Structure formats: C-alpha cells, structure tokens
Amino acid sequence: IGVRAAGLNYPDVLVIEGKYQWLPPRPFSPGKELAGVVLSTGPGVTTCKEGDRVMALVEFGAYAERVAVPQAQCFVMPEAMSFEEGAAMGLAYQTAWFALTDRANVQPGESVLVTGAAGGVGTACVQVAHAMGAHAIGGISNPERADLVQRCGAKSVVDLSVPDLRESLRAQLRALTAGHGVDVVLDTVGGAVFDAALRALAWRGRMVVIGFASGRIPEVKANYLLVKNVAVSGLQVSDYRDRDPAWMRRAQAELFDHYIAGRLRPVVTARLPLEAFAEGLASFGRRGVAGKTVLVMDED
C-alpha cells in the first residue's frame, strides 16, 4: 500500500516506551492504522486489487510511505471517504464496535457513559453508541469540549473534573437517568474515573475496560460485583483481528454502512506531515488531544 494517511493513537506511545502488552522487535516504525492506495498484490489476494483505496489495520508499521499488509487486515473504503477519515476509522471504531456489541451487548435505548469522550477513542465510542440507538453520555474533564462531544451524538455530558468525583459522578448520572444509573460504561481513563463510574452502574450494568489514560490501573473487589449484580470486562481489540479476522471484517463493513448513512464521521482535528510524528505523539502526554490526529503523506 502507498500510504496517504496514518492515525496516531495513545497505544503508539506505549509501544515506543516499551510499556505495551505486545512489543515489536527493534528497530520498527510505529502506527496501527493507515489509509492509502494498493500498489500491488500477492498471489491469491481477493479482498482488494491494485488501485483500490483502502484502510488497513496493523500491529505496527503504519508511520511509513509504503506498507505490506495481510489481505485480511485490508478494507476497501467507501468512495466518499477521504484518506484522512479512513486512517482515523480503524482502531478507535473497531474498539467501539466490539466494546458495545460483544463485551457490553448494548441494546437500543440503553444509556452508555463514555469516559474520555473527547479523545479519539471516546468520540468513536459516542458516535457508534448513538448509531446503535443507545443514549450516549459523554464524560469529559474539559468543559470546552462539551460541544464537540455533543456533535458526535452525546445526548448529555457529565463533568469528570468536579471535586469528590466518587459521589458527584453518580449523582450526575442518576439525575440524567431518573435515578436508574447508567446501563453501560466504556472506560478509557481508569484511575479515579473508573472507581466513580463503577459505583454509578445500574442494576445489571456492564463496564468495559478499554484503557488507562489517567496512568493508574484500577482494581475491583469481586464482592462489589456480586452485591451490585454488575459485570466488568476488558477489551483488547487486536485479539479479534488475530483470532477471528472474518468477524473484524463484518464489523468494519457495518461501520462503513454507518458512515455511508451519515451516522459516523471520524473527528479529525489535527493533520501533521510524517516527519512531525513525534510532535503529534507528545500531545498525548499533555492530555491535549481532542478528536483524532493523523499523519498525512506526500502523494508523490
């Protein structure tokens, strides 16, 4: 594939720092998602052909001008989708889809709290939850990002920066759900946000652990799950790619259908040249990323 755009993700930082659960041999190029044009195919390839505009998911290597990708991880994009949108619609949207459908089994009309809702994964989770007919609630720490989250489909926004989050988050969510509590939590933050969100779950509520942007990995007491009749599960989306690529292809097809219908639009808020990748990754450490940052390659 001749790469035209590559998405930046927080896991890229963890891979570079040697803190991710799977590390490639060094030296390597970071990056887990890309979009571009197929330059050539090997024998037996049926998912795409030379000249196709595609997006692709890889374990690493997307920050490059040319990438070789197994055909199972390559998806022909809708005609209206730009390369930047394609690069932004890989890891985050697959994460949102599997978190909502497989781990949380979300149903239309249920309430879904997304923590870190203004980030790349957060905006995807809000959009996909809304597209599936759920009542999306965006959890944010910066009030200035409320409008962005609501444009993604959040019907309500809660403040994660308030004092005594343990009590205040539950109060905010009960006020929004007529005292019921929230049915599903998709947590990208961890730490104190996880602790507070767990207490805000409704009876038979489900929480999906997606990431730990706060830096602290929380712990759960099993007796609390029993007493509250709630469930906590984890999501490592690359396992779906490796263990059941056909399932991931079905997921991507549904996501593309939502895009064509206008229910999903990747929120690309920053564009950088390939050589500025370090600048883009540094913004994750400053918690300064709203929406998605993509690297844009020279067409030549």
Side-chain angles (χ1 to χ4, degrees):
I1 299 173
V3 182
R4 297 292 182 83
L8 273 67
N9 296 282
Y10 181 60
D12 297 338
V13 178
L14 299 179
V15 173
I16 291 170
E17 293 179 344
K19 299 177 181 178
Y20 200 60
Q21 53 263 35
W22 191 92
L23 298 175
R26 296 171 183 266
F28 69 95
S29 295
K32 294 180 177 294
E33 58 189 356
L34 61 101
V37 178
V38 176
L39 301 180
S40 62
T41 61
V45 170
T46 59
T47 62
C48 59
K49 63 183 185 302
E50 184 177 334
D52 280 346
R53 300 169 66 257
V54 297
M55 60 86 67
L57 297 165
V58 292
E59 189 61 45
F60 65 94
Y63 298 3
E65 296 173 330
R66 301 285 184 273
V67 177
V69 179
Q71 66 166 331
Q73 298 163 214
C74 189
F75 310 89
V76 178
M77 299 191 302
E79 289 184 8
M81 182 174 285
S82 69
F83 290 118
E84 294 175 9
E85 289 177 321
M89 203 174 176
L91 190 66
Y93 284 84
Q94 286 275 353
T95 295
W97 193 93
F98 280 105
L100 288 162
T101 60
D102 184 47
R103 311 311 290 155
N105 190 29
V106 71
Q107 301 299 310
E110 287 192 311
S111 56
V112 177
L113 169 66
V114 178
T115 67
V121 175
T123 52
C125 288
V126 169
Q127 287 188 15
V128 176
H130 178 65
M132 291 179 174
H135 179 117
I137 302 171
I140 57 174
S141 298
N142 184 343
E144 295 180 357
R145 295 177 178 174
D147 182 60
L148 168 66
V149 174
Q150 289 174 319
R151 290 201 308 271
C152 288
K155 294 184 178 180
S156 311
V157 175
V158 293
D159 189 354
L160 302 180
S161 66
V162 294
D164 191 16
L165 184 63
R166 180 180 172 85
E167 296 296 333
S168 63
L169 181 58
R170 183 165 63 172
Q172 290 182 75
L173 292 170
R174 285 185 172 178
L176 292 173
T177 59
H180 174 72
V182 69
D183 297 305
V184 173
V185 174
L186 305 185
D187 181 39
T188 70
V189 179
V193 171
F194 173 95
D195 299 337
L198 181 63
R199 298 182 74 244
L201 279 175
W203 182 70
R204 299 181 68 242
R206 294 89 71 199
M207 174 180 276
V208 184
V209 177
I210 294 175
F212 312 106
S214 69
R216 178 171 74 82
I217 298 175
E219 296 181 354
V220 181
K221 292 184 177 180
N223 65 318
Y224 187 80
L225 306 181
L226 182 152
V227 171
K228 292 279 290 185
N229 278 289
V230 297
V232 177
S233 62
L235 176 69
Q236 170 59 26
V237 75
S238 61
D239 279 354
Y240 292 85
R241 179 199 65 209
D242 297 337
R243 293 173 179 267
D244 197 335
W247 195 359
M248 178 163 276
R249 183 161 296 278
R250 294 194 298 272
Q252 194 62 50
E254 183 173 316
L255 290 167
F256 283 159
D257 287 343
H258 284 309
Y259 174 89
I260 293 169
R263 291 186 288 268
L264 299 180
R265 278 294 182 274
V267 182
V268 178
T269 54
R271 300 159 178 81
L272 298 171
L274 176 60
E275 57 268 25
F277 77 92
E279 174 188 339
L281 292 175
S283 63
F284 287 107
R286 298 190 299 268
R287 300 292 294 276
V289 177
K292 191 77 172 183
T293 299
V294 299
L295 300 176
V296 180
M297 316 318 184
D298 191 327
E299 290 188 14
D300 296 332

